[in-house]
Amino acid sequence: MVEEQLPFQDHTSQSPPSLFPLISSDYTNAGDITVGCLAKDFLPDSLTFSWQKPNNESLEAEKIRRYPSLANSNGVYTTSSEATIPTNQWEASEPFFCKAEHSSGTRVARVVRPSPCNYPEPKIIVRIPTLEDFRGPYLNATLLCKADDLHTEKTTLKWLKEGNVLSSGFTTSAPTKQAHGGYSTMSELIVTKKDWFADKVFSCQVQNEKYDEIRNVSKLSVCEDCSGTGIPVRVEAIPPSFEDIYMTKSVKLTCRTSNIPFEQDLAELNVTWIRQHSNGGLEVLPTEIGQSKEQEDRDLVSVDATANVCIEDWESGDNFQCIVALPLLASTETRSLKKENGGSRSPPSVYVQPPPLEELALKETATITCLIKNFFPGDFFVRWMRNNEPVGVSESYTSNPMQESKSPKRYFSYSLLKVTEQEWSAGDTFTCMVGHEALPYQTTQKTIDKNTGKPTHVNVSLVLSDMTSSCY
């Protein structure tokens, strides 16, 4: 038989108790509640408890309970006492007193309801999408609802559209404990561009036993002026450039509708090109409506609608009209295009000038100038070549045509090609090629190099489209 070894007790030493209040965290608002106090590290085991009410009267013995003392490995004792007290006095924060009397001293613990934690009120934040969010390939965006400072994790979050509870299309996280107390949860709902810009109302509802709140959001709720940017829709007919006609051997008519709000359903845009023949007949042309393009104001887009016609049809002088219908317009808009045949055509004179000596002396760059004068109409193009090879458009600058004279009406322009001083000094040849409808072969060219110092005619070729026009 093994004897139980009791902790060694030195009865010649004494240790007073340390006394701590014990407070229940789970009680109801009716009846009585139980509180207590804990006495630790006392020696010898000779301790008695008593309780006093707020009015200093002794608490009835039947409402007090004492638990047996327990000795730890150090030979000192721990014990506790419970008291049953009225809930109404506890709720009123009236203090009760636990007294522990010991041969080495008496201790008193004040037992009172602690001040309730002042948790902040729960709050719901709903983040709405921006226009930028809808620019992805799927034309949808995300609504985010976040609820913080909830008093319990037993909280539900629901999404509604136009007052109807949604069962899919969202992802909701389980409530998590916050560092400062309380719980947090959030949910993300996918909304389509069509629903958002149709001003559908979406609601985030957060519910638990003590809280039931709902937040409604829509495009209208966050937009002071949802009628658009205030910029009127613009319709313009863009004539074909001579360069495009020369390169493709066909004529592209462009009708551009711009300042369209991003949210506009472009399926409602209708554009038709019509040809008015000189005999009064009307011909509807096949019209292709292109993809929308963002404008500098990213809340607006533009759309080009094009029709292709033969050069002979364009040269005929017939009138071409584009007719645009869009709900944002008060009525259909019509724009016209017609080949400018007024005035006497005049081919350009072309002059090429070498770089200035002052610029060459710096041994950095060399600027070659091509002057184009005395031409009508004002549509033309310039291409540069170096050693019979085309030069990139970004390496040169060509001005818009400027009026040279009013009667007869004539234009002039200039083009600058910037090369390195080493290229010029190496004797490379540089050619300015000018295209204009009044030229005998629709193009003319002048070439210059360091050795000649002046422009000369040379046999060069620019690879251009050899497409032929097919009109039926």
Side-chain angles (χ1 to χ4, degrees), residues 346-386:
S346 174
S349 300
V350 179
Y351 307 91
V352 180
Q353 300 173 351
L357 294 177
E358 296 85 352
E359 183 184 24
L360 293 174
L362 299 175
K363 295 189 178 299
E364 294 177 353
T365 59
T367 304
I368 305 165
T369 304
C370 184
L371 181 63
I372 307 105
K373 290 175 56 68
N374 199 39
F375 59 92
F376 183 86
D379 198 5
F380 74 106
F381 69 86
V382 174
R383 292 291 185 89
W384 284 93
M385 290 177 287
R386 178 172 55 241

Side-chain angles (χ1 to χ4, degrees), residues 242 245-246 311 314-316 339-349 373-379 405 408-411 435-443:
F242 175 71
I245 295 174
Y246 182 83
I311 296 177
W314 177 246
E315 297 278 355
S316 69
K339 174 72 167 63
E340 182 182 10
N341 290 323
S344 59
R345 299 196 309 171
S346 174
S349 300
K373 290 175 56 68
N374 199 39
F375 59 92
F376 183 86
D379 198 5
S405 64
K409 194 172 185 179
R410 297 291 184 266
Y411 294 94
H436 189 270
E437 65 177 69
L439 289 166
Y441 298 101
Q442 295 190 323
T443 60

Side-chain angles (χ1 to χ4, degrees), residues 94-146:
E94 297 183 18
F96 287 75
F97 300 92
C98 173
K99 180 186 293 186
E101 296 182 83
H102 189 262
S103 58
S104 61
T106 299
R107 299 288 185 268
V108 178
R110 187 172 183 265
V111 183
V112 66
R113 180 193 179 196
S115 299
C117 296
N118 293 321
Y119 288 117
E121 282 292 316
K123 57 179 177 288
I124 302 177
I125 299 174
V126 179
R127 188 192 74 84
I128 64 168
T130 65
L131 287 178
E132 195 69 26
D133 295 331
F134 288 100
R135 297 185 191 277
Y138 302 108
L139 298 180
N140 57 32
T142 302
L143 272 175
L144 184 145
C145 180
K146 190 170 188 292

Side-chain angles (χ1 to χ4, degrees), residues 71-93:
N72 64 21
S73 58
N74 295 324
V76 291
Y77 289 87
T78 297
T79 188
S80 63
S81 174
E82 283 184 355
T84 303
I85 62 176
T87 298
N88 60 341
Q89 288 184 286
W90 180 254
E91 290 286 340
S93 296

Side-chain angles (χ1 to χ4, degrees), residues 333-345:
E333 297 270 349
T334 302
R335 297 292 184 271
S336 298
L337 279 181
K338 188 176 182 179
K339 174 72 167 63
E340 182 182 10
N341 290 323
S344 59
R345 299 196 309 171

